[in-house]
Amino acid sequence: LNYMALPQLYKNLTLTSYDKIRYRGDQPEGMGSASPFTMGLNAVITRPYASLVRSLTLRGDWNEIELEEHAKVGRVPDSSMMLNIAVRAAIDRMPELERFSWELNTKMLETVYLGLAQLPKLTSLTVRFPSNRHPRPTITIPPMPRLRILKVTDIDPLCYPDDISTLLLKSKKLRDLKMHWSPRMRNEQEPSVMLHTYFRKCIA
């Protein structure tokens, strides 16, 4: 039964991170090991399950330790860097991955983008930018020529000006594009959205 169930269990994988320990009755989740989020990543990295995954969603609140201190000196917290390294290790083992969604409250870094660009079957990508405003390296997102669906949410050009113009130019098969800007910009009436920033290479 386990052998028959594994392909279904790992086909659509959703891992949710929580910034606090959760309890089921008196038992903390992950007692004796680690959080279900990190143990899920560990399973697809260290066991032969990654090739079964067709859809991977990472969501929730990632706890960034000493975030303010790192922001002052222009550094990415080690916990966030290690998260991105672990995610890259996971997707490198997922040759059949078709859909990837980053919905965590921390920024996806270049190492994950470069891994996604190498996937032969990736057709759907969702990226959520953080709602906080702590500096991160600016990235030119690489081409993913097989992409059909692209959804980018909580875009904040003043704090997270990642360049998706190359991605849009090279995505010749793109059929569904959704772009959503941070509500904070509307609340503070920031006139910082320029569509030319995103579509300039397509226009040229």
Side-chain angles (χ1 to χ4, degrees), residues 56-76:
L56 175 61
T57 297
L58 307 175
R59 65 185 186 186
D61 297 317
W62 182 255
N63 196 6
E64 296 183 298
I65 301 172
E66 297 180 344
L67 179 59
E68 298 292 340
E69 191 66 26
H70 282 79
K72 288 178 184 177
V73 297
R75 265 181 48 171
V76 176

Side-chain angles (χ1 to χ4, degrees), residues 172-188:
K172 304 294 187 183
K173 297 183 178 180
L174 197 65
R175 295 294 178 268
D176 188 342
L177 172 63
K178 295 181 181 178
M179 299 173 69
H180 167 270
W181 277 264
S182 171
R184 180 196 54 73
M185 295 170 58
R186 182 172 59 250
N187 295 338
E188 298 182 15

